[in-house]
Amino acid sequence: MTVQTARFSIGQIVRHRIHPFRGIIFDVDPVFANTEEWWLAIPEALRPRKDQPFYHLFAENEQTEYVAYVSEQNLVPDTSNAPLRHPMVSTVFKARPDGTYQPRTVIAN
């Protein structure tokens, strides 16, 4: 299996290319790292390849906020400049004046 370099980065705001949600990336898997059951639950015609980066997002749509796991092929940059309302964003990221986000520094004991 060939591993690709991730196109998106932690702290980047993206949106799904098909479904109406957007979010901020908080982790990246270089290849699929979820359960086979999760992957098989996706309709075969829409099922993503496993040999690409998968992104963990603090995601939101018009109704709710949640965590999503999305293949790179289904993401595009979000250029709306709309603020994120997901409650975990301010816990994990620090907003910069230019509207981008930087991970907060975590100090372990």
Side-chain angles (χ1 to χ4, degrees):
M1 186 181 306
T2 304
V3 177
Q4 298 179 43
T5 300
R7 195 171 93 196
F8 302 109
S9 59
I10 292 175
Q12 187 171 358
I13 301 171
V14 293
R15 65 180 175 81
H16 197 281
R17 69 177 183 85
I18 299 170
H19 302 294
F21 71 86
R22 61 195 286 266
I24 187 168
I25 298 168
F26 69 88
D27 197 9
V28 182
D29 294 333
V31 294
F32 180 77
N34 206 331
T35 65
E36 190 70 11
E37 179 181 46
W38 181 92
W39 190 73
L40 291 172
I42 300 169
E44 190 171 353
L46 300 175
R47 201 172 291 153
R49 296 181 336 273
K50 291 182 177 181
D51 65 341
Q52 64 181 312
F54 276 74
Y55 299 84
H56 300 262
L57 308 177
F58 293 131
E60 56 191 50
N61 60 28
E62 288 184 10
Q63 291 81 34
T64 191
E65 299 83 33
Y66 52 96
V67 172
Y69 190 64
V70 186
S71 64
E72 185 169 273
Q73 74 188 58
N74 284 318
L75 292 176
V76 295
D78 181 86
T79 58
S80 71
N81 293 322
L84 293 165
R85 66 175 195 278
H86 194 290
M88 289 301 296
V89 172
S90 63
T91 302
V92 177
F93 294 99
K94 181 177 168 181
R96 294 179 175 159
D98 66 359
T100 62
Y101 290 84
Q102 145 184 358
R104 290 188 180 276
T105 303
V106 178
I107 300 173
N109 289 335

